[in-house]
Amino acid sequence: MGQEDILKKLIAHCKEYGFIFPSSELYDGLSAVYDYGQHGAELKNNIKKYWWEAMTLMHENIVGLDSAIFMHPKIWEASGHVGAFNDPLIDNKDSKKRYRADVLIEEYLQKLEDKIKKEIEKARKKIGDAFDEKQFRETNQRVLSNQSKISDTKKRFVSALENDNLTEIKNIIEDAAIACPVSGSKNWTDVRQFNLMFETKLGSVSDDASKIYLRPETAQGIFVNFLNVQKTGRMKIPFGIAQIGKAFRNEIVARQFIFRMREFEQMEMQFFVKPGTEMEWYNHWKEFRLKWHKTMGMGEDNYRFHDHDKLAHYANAAADIEFKFPMGFKELEGIHSRTDFDLSRHQEFSGKKIQYFDPETNESYVPYVVETSIGLDRMFLAIISNSYTEETVTGTGEERTVMKIPSALAPVKLAVLPLTKKNDLPEKARAIIDQLKFDFACHYEEKDSIGKRYRRMDAIGTPYCVTVDHQSLEDNTVTIRYRDTMEQERVSIDQLPAIMGEKVNMKTLLQQL
């Protein structure tokens, strides 16, 4: 199945089962804006909780913050967003479609990498155990040719980005013969820059209102509150400030479902360190954040690091944790060593001293910052795309669609299903939910056959179903059914709190960190 087909199926499933709806659908929708449905909201909140607790509960020196979306406009001048928060855009004259020029080039480079991998795998199968990949890379002409194209293109691309040379970016696209994915045409316009910030007015009278921006990132709210948090919390460096919040970018090329949207949510942590120790902490947070992802059990091979060739103006090191989405490996989280750029700029633009006094060395300095930044919506997409499974049931040949969401994050943890709607079974089922609902998100359903109800629970990712039958009235036992294996087990109702507590508690994820 092609990547586009997988994404289409996922989008349809998310709408049908209450995960994600097109926003304003009643009025024909709004491009690249989505609403999270009843199950999507629960999953989203569970992801937030796991990230928040991994940061604040597991680290004594990390605290939380919730800063405002509206901020003083000078903040965005200081951060560089007013002057330099741009995307290089290019239009195809035949399809009339608009693209980010840098993304077109990155996708071209990835295709060359994929060609090299195919050559290597083909040779590995042909030669067998005696295959020497290093020697093959150094001698195979097709590999060497593609590697040369990659090196030359990267060198030109990095130089063009660093020098803001839009003409050279277009030259790279033309020299690489990159075609429009829609029309197949190579008839391109010039590349131009487009600022991504949304503008609005603050004030009741239009003429007197001042221009402000919807924040394009949450990090600046942390930086301008550095001293407030440090002093009121009596924080000692190194320490971090974590925040979850909405951000807004006027993406012209918003696509691939919730991967790139105009309104999105970020989970960011800024870690303040002594200058000179930033690379030690940068490497620490790279390892910790990758470990956080891997505890969810979504496959070791689905993650990789991508070190940046071109660094942002504020960074001295940067890497992405990439995840294998339906459309290929894409950025999921960024880890950046931001130096002292942000605090120094706010110190300069505000005219107020932003420094930390170190009582151990008796000196004051502007701290360096190591940032971890993950898109909550992208994390959501990673989980649901990895969880979506179509499989044939062994023995019956029946097809089922199941969302194998990590149990601790599942929107509904337990479904309690009376076998029939009579003979006191619904009352017994309700009593079980009344016992468990304070600790676990439970669902009650009595409509349709038990098999159809199991399938509905599979489709929303409910890891455990409890069936209440006539034997339950006699011996206080129920059948618990496991989503992933479809195995069933008879257990006492009194055991359910302990069983569920062990299997769906977020503590099981946190203990792996």
Side-chain angles (χ1 to χ4, degrees):
M1 192 185 300
Q3 292 176 351
E4 287 189 9
D5 293 331
I6 294 172
L7 202 55
K8 284 179 182 177
K9 281 196 169 189
L10 190 61
I11 293 169
H13 187 90
C14 284
K15 182 181 177 184
E16 183 179 357
Y17 289 97
F19 284 94
I20 299 174
F21 307 131
S23 184
S24 310
E25 187 179 20
L26 194 62
Y27 294 91
D28 298 324
L30 192 62
S31 175
V33 184
Y34 293 91
D35 298 331
Y36 285 81
Q38 65 274 27
H39 296 129
E42 288 292 335
L43 175 55
K44 201 176 184 187
N45 285 334
N46 290 340
I47 297 169
K48 289 184 195 178
K49 183 180 179 185
Y50 178 38
W51 182 87
W52 188 264
E53 293 188 352
M55 286 298 180
T56 60
L57 291 188
M58 305 299 289
H59 299 92
E60 293 181 10
N61 60 344
I62 297 178
V63 295
L65 181 73
D66 184 4
S67 65
I69 289 172
F70 294 138
M71 303 174 73
H72 196 288
K74 282 196 74 172
I75 287 173
W76 304 113
E77 292 180 34
S79 67
H81 284 84
V82 171
F85 192 53
N86 304 304
D87 273 347
L89 301 181
I90 191 168
D91 290 328
N92 184 268
K93 295 177 182 177
D94 297 315
S95 69
K96 311 300 181 187
K97 295 291 184 181
R98 181 166 291 168
Y99 301 93
R100 276 182 54 179
D102 56 332
V103 171
L104 288 176
I105 295 171
E106 287 168 0
E107 288 175 348
Y108 165 74
L109 291 171
Q110 185 59 53
K111 286 178 183 177
L112 293 177
E113 293 279 6
D114 292 341
K115 285 182 179 180
I116 291 174
K117 288 178 184 176
K118 283 182 181 178
E119 290 289 343
I120 291 170
E121 289 308 310
K122 189 165 67 175
R124 192 190 306 277
K125 288 179 182 177
K126 184 177 180 181
I127 298 171
D129 295 339
F131 178 68
D132 185 333
E133 182 177 332
K134 183 175 182 293
Q135 183 183 39
F136 185 79
R137 283 180 176 273
E138 293 172 349
T139 56
N140 182 272
Q141 289 304 310
R142 284 188 292 271
V143 170
L144 289 172
S145 174
N146 284 322
Q147 191 57 60
S148 177
K149 289 178 184 177
I150 291 171
S151 300
D152 291 345
T153 304
K154 275 188 176 181
K155 185 177 179 181
R156 291 177 64 190
F157 185 39
V158 171
S159 176
L161 290 175
E162 287 177 343
N163 295 300
D164 199 23
N165 190 338
L166 303 183
T167 301
E168 175 65 357
I169 291 175
K170 183 185 180 184
N171 291 340
I172 294 171
I173 290 172
E174 291 178 336
D175 293 346
I178 295 174
C180 169
V182 174
S183 66
S185 161
K186 299 166 189 171
N187 189 13
W188 298 105
T189 65
D190 291 336
V191 179
R192 61 220 177 278
Q193 295 284 20
F194 179 82
N195 193 282
L196 301 178
M197 285 200 294
F198 283 104
E199 293 182 7
T200 187
K201 298 286 186 179
L202 185 66
S204 56
V205 182
S206 179
D207 292 342
D208 298 330
S210 59
K211 181 170 70 175
I212 61 170
Y213 304 94
L214 296 181
R215 65 182 181 191
E217 65 175 27
T218 58
Q220 300 304 321
I222 294 176
F223 297 133
V224 297
N225 277 295
F226 166 75
L227 286 178
N228 288 333
V229 173
Q230 189 270 316
K231 289 178 179 178
T232 58
R234 303 177 71 186
M235 308 297 293
K236 291 184 178 180
I237 280 183
F239 75 90
I241 302 175
Q243 178 170 220
I244 300 174
K246 291 271 191 177
F248 308 84
R249 296 182 184 179
N250 194 13
E251 297 277 4
I252 294 301
V253 190
R255 55 182 177 142
Q256 297 172 329
F257 196 25
I258 59 171
F259 182 81
R260 191 182 301 282
M261 299 190 296
R262 295 185 174 94
E263 176 186 341
F264 56 96
E265 208 158 354
Q266 290 181 301
M267 304 186 293
E268 293 195 327
M269 192 277 297
Q270 308 297 330
F271 198 71
F272 300 93
V273 303
K274 185 176 183 178
T277 66
E278 70 274 9
M279 292 311 298
E280 172 191 342
W281 286 109
Y282 169 74
N283 290 320
H284 165 81
W285 285 111
K286 277 181 68 175
E287 292 176 16
F288 180 84
R289 292 305 305 148
L290 184 60
K291 191 175 182 180
W292 182 88
H293 287 281
K294 289 184 175 180
T295 58
M296 288 178 276
M298 296 200 296
E300 298 258 338
D301 295 339
N302 287 327
Y303 298 94
R304 70 183 187 190
F305 277 117
H306 168 69
D307 293 314
H308 288 208
D309 292 313
K310 177 188 180 295
L311 295 175
H313 58 278
Y314 53 75
N316 62 0
D320 295 332
I321 295 175
E322 294 185 333
F323 183 78
K324 192 175 183 180
F325 289 95
M327 52 280 191
F329 275 99
K330 299 284 184 181
E331 177 191 351
L332 178 58
E333 175 164 4
I335 297 95
H336 310 108
S337 176
R338 299 180 69 117
T339 68
D340 62 351
F341 173 83
D342 300 281
L343 295 182
S344 293
R345 290 279 288 186
H346 289 305
Q347 182 172 255
E348 175 189 347
F349 275 70
S350 68
K352 296 169 185 173
K353 191 175 180 181
I354 306 177
Q355 294 189 2
Y356 172 76
F357 177 74
D358 192 333
E360 294 183 5
T361 61
N362 207 31
E363 62 176 332
S364 295
Y365 55 81
V366 177
Y368 272 39
V369 178
V370 176
E371 170 187 72
T372 73
S373 177
I374 176 171
L376 174 56
D377 306 276
R378 290 188 181 185
M379 190 68 236
F380 188 103
L381 181 58
I383 290 173
I384 60 172
S385 63
N386 183 265
S387 302
Y388 182 84
T389 308
E390 296 177 350
E391 61 186 25
T392 303
V393 179
T394 305
T396 67
E398 180 189 356
E399 298 292 327
R400 76 162 182 157
T401 299
V402 54
M403 296 290 281
K404 296 185 177 181
I405 299 169
S407 295
L409 303 178
V412 177
K413 302 295 192 294
L414 176 71
V416 183
L417 315 172
L419 192 61
T420 67
K421 293 189 280 185
K422 53 187 178 180
N423 300 330
D424 297 327
L425 297 185
E427 290 77 10
K428 187 71 171 178
R430 291 287 187 188
I432 293 172
I433 286 183
D434 286 342
Q435 179 187 1
L436 298 175
K437 66 184 180 183
F438 298 101
D439 298 307
F440 313 106
C442 298
H443 177 83
Y444 174 87
E445 190 167 0
E446 59 184 29
K447 184 183 176 183
D448 292 328
S449 70
I450 194 69
K452 286 184 178 179
R453 283 181 274 170
Y454 282 158
R455 290 292 174 265
R456 275 200 294 274
M457 291 301 103
D458 289 343
I460 65 172
T462 304
Y464 306 101
C465 290
V466 162
T467 304
V468 179
D469 55 23
H470 297 94
Q471 185 180 339
S472 304
L473 302 176
E474 297 171 5
D475 61 8
N476 209 43
T477 64
V478 290
T479 298
I480 186 167
R481 184 251 195 192
Y482 300 92
R483 177 195 66 199
D484 295 346
T485 63
M486 292 186 291
E487 292 178 357
Q488 299 187 19
E489 181 183 5
R490 199 78 191 179
V491 300
S492 167
I493 292 174
D494 296 335
Q495 291 179 289
L496 286 176
I499 292 171
M500 294 300 297
E502 177 188 351
K503 294 184 181 297
V504 303
N505 197 322
M506 205 164 286
K507 183 179 175 183
T508 59
L509 295 178
L510 295 171
Q511 285 175 331
Q512 298 177 56
L513 296 175

